[in-house]
């Protein structure tokens, strides 16, 4: 049911995005999905010049645990010479969420400091944006740990 709801929401957003006018190589806002070690929803908005705020809500599940987390990232964009519409970016932020341990039926708060390094491409003739990034995190709670598994591909509709 969650997948059907997510697909329906993305379809509605796509219809609005296609109807709106988009600039050739830049965008103010973008919303879509993030796929990788964790799957979720991502929303980017411009903070002016070459800076953006990326808000990600994602989840991960396996036999031992479920977690949900919300991440906010401040990102700085730099164009790549000779590759129109392609930028590389870096930044940092934080995550807050919850972890449920299935074998013990217990829950904890999830807190981390996150970094991000990636590539961002905006199609010139379509309201579509692709990003490929690595989002490592220093987990502060419930345990102190380094999580380097944050590679993700994001597909967004721009408006």
């Amino acid at each position: 049911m969650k997948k059907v709801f997510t697909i329906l929401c993305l379809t509605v957003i796509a219809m609005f995005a296609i109807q709106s006018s988009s600039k050739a190589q830049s965008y103010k806002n973008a919303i879509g999905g993030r796929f990788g070690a964790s799957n979720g929803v991502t929303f980017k908005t411009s903070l002016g010049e070459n800076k953006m705020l990326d808000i990600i809500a994602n989840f991960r599940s396996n036999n031992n645990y479920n977690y949900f987390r919300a991440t906010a990232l401040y990102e700085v964009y730099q164009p790549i010479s000779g590759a129109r519409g392609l930028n590389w970016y870096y930044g940092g932020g934080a995550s807050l969420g919850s972890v449920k341990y299935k074998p013990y039926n217990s829950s904890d708060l999830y807190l981390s400091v996150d970094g991000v390094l990636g590539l961002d491409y905006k199609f010139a003739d379509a309201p579509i944006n692709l990003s490929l990034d690595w989002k490592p995190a220093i987990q502060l709670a419930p345990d102190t740990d380094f999580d380097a598994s944050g590679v993700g591909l994001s597909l967004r509709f721009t408006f």
Side-chain angles (χ1 to χ4, degrees):
M1 186 67 182
K2 286 183 187 179
K3 289 181 183 179
V4 172
F5 180 72
T6 302
I7 291 170
L8 181 62
C9 287
L10 290 175
T11 302
V12 170
I13 291 166
M15 289 189 313
F16 285 116
I18 289 168
Q19 290 177 359
S20 70
S21 63
S22 63
K23 297 179 181 175
Q25 292 299 319
S26 65
Y27 57 95
K28 295 274 186 193
N29 299 297
I31 191 166
R34 178 178 167 86
F35 310 97
S38 307
N39 297 316
V41 177
T42 171
F43 173 74
K44 279 194 178 192
T45 188
S46 175
L47 298 175
E49 294 185 27
N50 65 335
K51 294 161 184 71
M52 295 195 92
L53 175 66
D54 189 4
I55 299 169
I56 305 165
N58 62 24
F59 52 90
R60 184 186 296 183
S61 180
N62 65 25
N63 291 335
N64 295 319
Y65 65 89
N66 289 334
Y67 85 64
F68 169 81
R69 69 180 176 185
T71 304
L73 297 167
Y74 177 83
E75 300 171 345
V76 179
Y77 283 67
Q78 300 295 327
I80 296 177
S81 299
R84 191 172 177 176
L86 184 63
N87 296 286
W88 71 277
Y89 61 94
Y90 61 92
S95 292
L96 179 65
S98 66
V99 180
K100 180 178 181 179
Y101 302 101
K102 294 176 183 178
Y104 307 110
N105 198 24
S106 65
S107 297
D108 271 322
L109 171 74
Y110 181 91
L111 179 64
S112 70
V113 176
D114 301 48
V116 66
L117 178 64
L119 293 170
D120 183 89
Y121 182 73
K122 166 64 176 81
F123 288 90
D125 297 326
I128 297 172
N129 163 251
L130 289 175
S131 293
L132 177 65
D133 60 39
W134 177 51
K135 194 178 73 54
I138 298 173
Q139 184 177 320
L140 304 173
D143 302 316
T144 304
D145 195 11
F146 179 71
D147 180 7
S149 67
V151 175
L153 175 67
S154 298
L155 172 63
R156 299 181 193 92
F157 297 100
T158 63
F159 56 100

